[in-house]
Amino acid sequence: MAQPTYEWRPPERDWREQDLRDLPEDGNRYEIIDGSLHVTPSAGPYHHELADDIRMALRQNAPADWRVIREIGVRVPAGNLIPDVTVLRPGAPRDRMWADPSDVALVVEVESPNSRRHDRLTKPALYAESGIPAYWRVERSDFGPVVYRYSLVKGVHYNLVGTVGPDEPVPVDEPWPMRLDPRTWPR
């Protein structure tokens, strides 16, 4: 018996947030960058496990009413992105699939081979343009995960404020003061 196929036609205009609702739930990540659809294959188990551990480290240290969520969408200029982990400020609406940047304090991207270029170049530029104060990019290395921590400068771009490797816990100030300890995350 033949499997049903999903037929779709791209819109005859730039992609919009509402167009994403009509795409199949097939494990791929669908994002819009400058009005164009960007499709990333589903990440592997290591990627998800690392993102979960980062989310838990943030949640365990979160002040009251702050929320730490995996894979919630964020609206950016001419697009919609889905960070691996998003920290939402108190008062951010709970019933939305797409967060407004003003509600976001930190976004975290766990780099994978399929997302490397976007996580290093495209996404930070769009998050900065949106005014999101902090961006972390987590990269795998031979000795364990490394967190590259960036802070928004003059609402225009990110500057690297430091790296945290798997050597020992390090105090960080974003999105709130805490000790970050990648030693406990998967290698």
Side-chain angles (χ1 to χ4, degrees):
M1 177 179 238
Q3 292 291 324
T5 59
Y6 177 76
E7 284 192 41
W8 66 273
R9 297 183 197 284
E12 294 179 8
R13 55 167 166 65
D14 285 354
W15 283 82
R16 298 180 189 145
E17 181 179 313
Q18 61 266 26
D19 298 324
L20 297 175
R21 292 185 195 114
D22 297 329
L23 295 173
E25 294 185 27
D26 56 4
N28 290 320
R29 181 177 290 188
Y30 297 99
E31 298 172 300
I32 299 172
I33 298 174
D34 293 330
S36 296
L37 182 65
H38 178 75
V39 182
T40 306
S42 181
Y46 173 84
H47 180 101
H48 291 296
E49 183 180 11
L50 181 53
D52 284 340
D53 283 2
I54 294 166
R55 178 177 166 259
M56 288 310 301
L58 287 162
R59 281 190 81 160
Q60 289 171 346
N61 291 285
D65 298 324
W66 286 76
R67 293 179 19 239
V68 184
I69 300 177
R70 284 244 305 135
E71 299 181 357
I72 186 172
V74 175
R75 292 182 175 113
V76 296
N80 299 74
L81 300 178
I82 304 172
D84 291 302
V85 178
T86 303
V87 175
L88 296 173
R89 300 174 188 282
R94 291 185 171 273
D95 60 346
R96 295 194 183 147
M97 287 302 300
W98 295 98
D100 290 322
S102 61
D103 291 326
V104 178
L106 167 70
V107 289
V108 180
E109 294 286 358
V110 176
E111 198 175 279
S112 63
N114 293 325
S115 70
R116 183 176 185 202
R117 184 168 291 146
H118 285 288
D119 292 346
R120 289 181 178 208
L121 303 170
T122 307
K123 287 185 171 189
L126 291 169
Y127 293 140
E129 188 178 341
S130 299
I132 296 171
Y135 173 69
W136 292 357
R137 180 176 53 82
V138 182
E139 181 180 308
R140 291 183 246 188
S141 73
D142 291 340
F143 55 91
V146 177
V147 180
Y148 293 84
R149 300 173 31 242
Y150 298 88
S151 180
L152 189 62
V153 177
K154 298 180 183 178
V156 178
H157 68 282
Y158 289 116
N159 273 357
L160 181 67
V161 294
T163 59
V164 180
D167 302 331
E168 61 184 57
V170 173
V172 299
D173 292 325
E174 74 288 339
W176 45 74
M178 63 180 274
R179 292 183 67 74
L180 196 60
D181 189 2
R183 292 180 304 175
T184 63
W185 301 346
R187 292 186 178 261

